[in-house]
Amino acid sequence: MTTLISGQAVARALSRVSQALIEQKETLTSLDQAMGDGDMGITLTKIGNALLPYCADTAPDDLGKFLIGAGMTANRAGPSTMGTLLATALMRAGKVIKGKSELTPQDLADMFAAVDTGIQERGKAKPGDKTIVDAVHPANEAFAQAIAAGVTLAEAGAKALQAAKNGLDNVTPLRSKMGRASWVGERTKGKVDPGCAAFVVMLSAIIEPPSASYSQTI
Amino acid sequence: MTTLISGQAVARALSRVSQALIEQKETLTSLDQAMGDGDMGITLTKIGNALLPYCADTAPDDLGKFLIGAGMTANRAGPSTMGTLLATALMRAGKVIKGKSELTPQDLADMFAAVDTGIQERGKAKPGDKTIVDAVHPANEAFAQAIAAGVTLAEAGAKALQAAKNGLDNVTPLRSKMGRASWVGERTKGKVDPGCAAFVVMLSAIIEPPSASYSQTI
Amino acid sequence: MKKILNNPENFVTEMLDGLLKAHPDQLTYTEDIHCIVRTDSPIEGKVALATGGGSGHLPVFLGYVGKGMLDGCAVGDVFASPGAEQMLWVTQRIHGGAGVVYIYGNYGGDVMNFDMATEMAEFEDIEVRTVLVKDDVASAPPEEAERRRGVVGMVFAFKIAGAKADRGGSLDEVVAVTEKALANIRTMGVALSPCTVPMAGKPTFSIGEDEMEIGMGIHGEPGMKREKLQSADEISERMTTAILDDLQPQEGDRLAVMVNGLGATPPEELYIIYRKVHELLAKRGLSVYRAYVGEYATSMEMAGASLTFFRLDDEMIELLDYPARTPFFTQI
Amino acid sequence: MKKILNNPENFVTEMLDGLLKAHPDQLTYTEDIHCIVRTDSPIEGKVALATGGGSGHLPVFLGYVGKGMLDGCAVGDVFASPGAEQMLWVTQRIHGGAGVVYIYGNYGGDVMNFDMATEMAEFEDIEVRTVLVKDDVASAPPEEAERRRGVVGMVFAFKIAGAKADRGGSLDEVVAVTEKALANIRTMGVALSPCTVPMAGKPTFSIGEDEMEIGMGIHGEPGMKREKLQSADEISERMTTAILDDLQPQEGDRLAVMVNGLGATPPEELYIIYRKVHELLAKRGLSVYRAYVGEYATSMEMAGASLTFFRLDDEMIELLDYPARTPFFTQI
Ligand SMILES: Nc1ncnc2c1ncn2[C@@H]1O[C@H](COP(=O)(O)OP(=O)(O)O)[C@@H](O)[C@H]1O
Ligand SMILES: Nc1ncnc2c1ncn2[C@@H]1O[C@H](COP(=O)(O)OP(=O)(O)O)[C@@H](O)[C@H]1O
Ligand SMILES: [Mg+2]
Ligand SMILES: [Mg+2]
Ligand SMILES: [Mg+2]
Ligand SMILES: [Mg+2]
């Protein structure tokens, strides 16, 4: 039997992401101050604060529309680099599930792939440039592989999160090549990319409580 | 026999005053920062630095001209309130001894009186306003009395200095009523007036080495 | 606060050298680089206007030398009066035969030196008149208004006097209109941080992270009171009330309003202040004819702001609107 | 650094409210207060110019909206890009039928959002062209010039584009002349102290009492290098050399020079820098056609300065001299 993820579960996941971004404000701000302009925690908190009421007030009937609307809300609330990429991710994820009211694990994998592609198209960063792409891209690949291998959603989520964390660690020693951090040059070496960190925060929030329990609550 | 003060002694006294102002820069600056704009040490150092070469290069033949020239030099170098009053004092003192090349104790008393009047005319402060007048005026009166009583120059100088110090102490508890300090209002109570302090510095430098030895060196 | 300096002793001279190199079409000097005059001075038949004061307040003082405003300025060292001789040089150079008006702030050193300069100029048959600026309501109560210091309100005085002189006003007329303007100008300010005189090398006063000075002086001298730092709206209301209580305008009066930054306070914060001031004035039935928001008189890198109201009538409006062009102030 | 604030969340909205109240004759907004446009927009038949970017840089960005410069500006939060929707609103309102040019700094968030806005505007048959400002030589070596960020040099781009558009230039012509201007504009800066984003409440970076950041960003992001604080002459020489090495002017070339204060650095210090720069240029046989010394793009209360050179030819001179009037920039 295929696990099915309800619209409510998606809305709850987005609320958890919002909550997590708000909670991690200080950490993300500090990371962005070290090699950027220090606004990331602020921007993402604004987005979190805009998405929470959005999730509460919007019926997740058509999950495509729901996520595209969430993307537009995010762009209005916090159009910084990270905010715009998050908005793009939500809109791209929404596009691939247009009209659906519940999702299969394969839908999740398609959405993840669309997010990966969307972020790379909008931002034009490549893997190794030390951006959010270095967490998103390996996580997407790990997730796709796990789903293809037929493991549980909980396991697939855990694999994706591990891949994201590894991706973050892999690029920490490197020099940032995109965005504001690229101007800081050599001094970014050894520092955690704030975008990668933000993605780990968001992905952790999605799969927490562990996705195994998803099927129970739907 | 009447003690006579040579032109050289006057020039040396003015050099000592200059030197003392330079040495007391920090103290005077701190006092002026507490209830003014903190420039007094700087201004008086500039004047000191201008008067030292003036004293070295100018023959004190006509002591009137010598002191008027010193006043103009002082005004050019540091035209703040204190600098302008010092310049006025030098010019007024010069006026009363025009043409003289050596001075009697009575000349000194006349000069002191001219300085007192000049400062009050230029600045329009009255005794009790908590300005330099509160050190100058009692010092002038004490000096005049002492000279009239026929004591030695050393004693007269010491009396004047004591009167200046008492004057300073007497106005310390009061509120400043003139100049920048007047705007600081109540907060000036209990603080030493920088102008009084500067006058004590200058007067100490004039009578140091004690004026008794003047007659030996002339 | 860190500064971009060479030898602090040369601070003013180097600043003036840079300024003359940057604005050679507008400014030059006479006798000494510390005596700045318009390149086209003297202007025959025009009443000439001079000011003077310590450095460290740009655009005050010399920044307002130019067409439609001042003719010359004697420049002192940082926060120190210029000397009487400098003032005389400026006076001689700008005098166009119609007399000279000195317009400057009520500070002891400046008054004494301008008085000495006046005596010297009159000796040379140059008619000199003085208008003292005493706009700071925080520096003394109304009954001692004569004792008040002059702060940024002087910029309005320069503007009005400059327009009147440029339009051919006589010496008496220029003096009268400037005095009338000043009778209708009041300022009040707060400081959040001190400033550093380059040669002193340390701040003029120290102040806690949550404190502010009420009614600071533009030389970094402490104000009348130290208080807990308030919100922008509270500060705005406080300054507005203090000025209105003193100026006592009538409902329907038109004002020019100036929100002035002391140096380190960003324009964004000045507009946040202006917003509240505008609102409070509207509530009292007072309208803003013109708003000036920016840095018009600074104290180097001091953080803080001041507020100035100038009550206008038709004559003042005509002169305020008159065009002007100086290195720091252009109005068309 | 202490700030005059109400609730930091309302910083930008209150600032804009104050600004609109202070300049009602010049500025208004469309749809949302964060979308500032000229009161007289759209101007039929004129190429419209828009910019956008984060707040905290006044006069950049919106301070250059006005006659002879820009038509509109999308205003972001402090140091944050505005959103694509805002840009679209500005675009719709200012479009006078002759196309719209976006001129803004090369920052990721802004580029992504302006790109999204372009897609939306083209959907509505508004022709949009983009000119990215990348003038900061410190942000990438010459071979990676495409990666450079845009700083205060954009003010010259606004001036040139604005003059060309006001004189009836076509969309192609305005884009071409702006790109030509930018090919001749370079900036380099140093920061001495950080700034505080109101909502963050603490400084962006910390820096020792005797240190400076070389090539800081205007958002308070750290620069390429941290070094011992140098003298004004050394800093001036350093910036001059870095720009000239990159711009490679010929002897006899005419330049416009801008010495820009980042916020807390007093004008006096900027003129001390200008003095040395002028001297160094003269030594190389380069002349200064026009000097701009003041605050043209700030980072709130950051201390520091930047230097911009703009190599001129007759066409550029004509456009640079063209009059302009905005709330922060008046040239006659
Ligand atoms: N072109 C890009 N593509 C993808 N990610 C990027 C790009 N540029 C920057 N990033 C990511 O964005 C993060 C910074 O986000 P944010 O603070 O919102 O940027 P900014 O303040 O410059 O708008 C970086 O840590 C990096 O992961
Ligand atoms: N009108 C005045 N007459 C006499 N002395 C004055 C007057 N005003 C101020 N002073 C004296 O000047 C001192 C301050 O001198 P200074 O620092 O040079 O003033 P400023 O910085 O205001 O020019 C005060 O401590 C006071 O003794
Ligand atoms: Mg950032
Ligand atoms: Mg003083
Ligand atoms: Mg002084
Ligand atoms: Mg940002």
Side-chain angles (χ1 to χ4, degrees), chain D residues 4 20 26 28 68 88 92 136 166 174 200 203 218 223 237 273 322:
Chain D
I4 303 182
L20 290 167
Q26 296 190 67
T28 185
L88 180 66
Q92 290 166 331
D136 184 3
D166 211 53
V174 172
I218 60 169
E237 179 146 16
I273 293 174
Y322 192 79

Side-chain angles (χ1 to χ4, degrees), chain A residues 32 37-40 43 80-81 180, chain D residues 78-81 219:
Chain A
D32 195 33
D37 55 356
D39 68 333
M40 189 188 282
T43 312
S80 65
T81 299
R180 268 185 231 295
Chain D
V78 176
F79 299 170
S81 172
H219 309 85

Side-chain angles (χ1 to χ4, degrees), chain D residues 203-223:
Chain D
T204 316
F205 56 91
S206 66
I207 182 165
E209 258 314 297
D210 58 343
E211 292 178 325
M212 64 177 181
E213 285 277 332
I214 308 293
M216 84 297 143
I218 60 169
H219 309 85
E221 56 268 48

Side-chain angles (χ1 to χ4, degrees), chain A residues 18 27 36 38 88 108 115 122 136 140-141 144 154 156 162 178 193 196 217:
Chain A
S18 305
T27 318
T88 302
L108 294 184
V115 164
R122 182 55 71 209
V136 174
N140 168 37
E141 290 194 327
Q162 192 53 53
M178 290 296 276
D193 176 64
C196 285
T217 53

Side-chain angles (χ1 to χ4, degrees), chain C residues 55-75:
Chain C
S55 290
H57 304 302
L58 281 180
V60 157
F61 295 84
L62 71 98
Y64 299 103
V65 174
K67 196 157 165 39
M69 290 186 93
L70 305 169
D71 296 273
C73 175
V75 181

Side-chain angles (χ1 to χ4, degrees), chain B residues 183-203:
Chain B
W183 303 314
V184 182
E186 292 298 312
R187 291 158 79 183
T188 56
K189 286 186 177 170
K191 289 189 181 126
V192 169
D193 177 65
C196 285
F199 182 69
V200 168
V201 166
M202 294 188 271
L203 190 57

Side-chain angles (χ1 to χ4, degrees), chain B residues 30 33-34 36-37 39 42 46 75-76 79-81 84-85 91 122-124 175 177 180 182-184 187, chain C residues 77 79 81-85 106-107 109 112-113 116 119 139 147 149 203-204 213 219 221-225:
Chain B
S30 300
Q33 280 181 330
D37 56 355
D39 68 333
I42 299 166
K46 279 189 198 151
N75 187 241
R76 234 172 269 133
S80 66
T81 299
T84 308
L85 291 174
M91 293 194 255
R122 182 56 71 207
K124 302 185 182 69
R175 206 187 109 202
K177 296 218 189 86
R180 267 185 231 297
S182 75
W183 303 314
V184 182
R187 291 158 79 183
Chain C
D77 254 326
F79 299 168
S81 172
E85 213 173 24
N106 183 28
Y107 295 95
M112 293 181 207
N113 281 286
M116 282 161 78
E119 292 161 20
S139 56
R147 211 162 58 67
R149 64 190 156 205
T204 317
E213 285 276 332
H219 309 86
E221 55 267 48
M224 317 138 63
K225 270 207 257 189

Side-chain angles (χ1 to χ4, degrees), chain C residues 271-320:
Chain C
Y271 278 107
I272 289 176
I273 294 174
Y274 180 75
R275 170 183 171 272
K276 185 68 185 178
V277 170
H278 187 103
E279 205 177 287
L280 292 167
L281 292 177
K283 262 192 212 149
R284 298 236 200 168
L286 299 166
S287 67
V288 180
Y289 178 74
R290 241 182 207 273
Y292 295 82
V293 181
E295 295 185 345
Y296 293 91
T298 62
S299 295
M300 311 240 266
E301 68 287 321
M302 191 186 276
S306 69
L307 177 65
T308 305
F309 293 159
F310 177 11
R311 178 174 32 207
L312 303 170
D313 61 12
D314 292 341
E315 181 185 25
M316 290 296 143
I317 284 181
E318 221 182 299
L319 295 170
L320 188 66

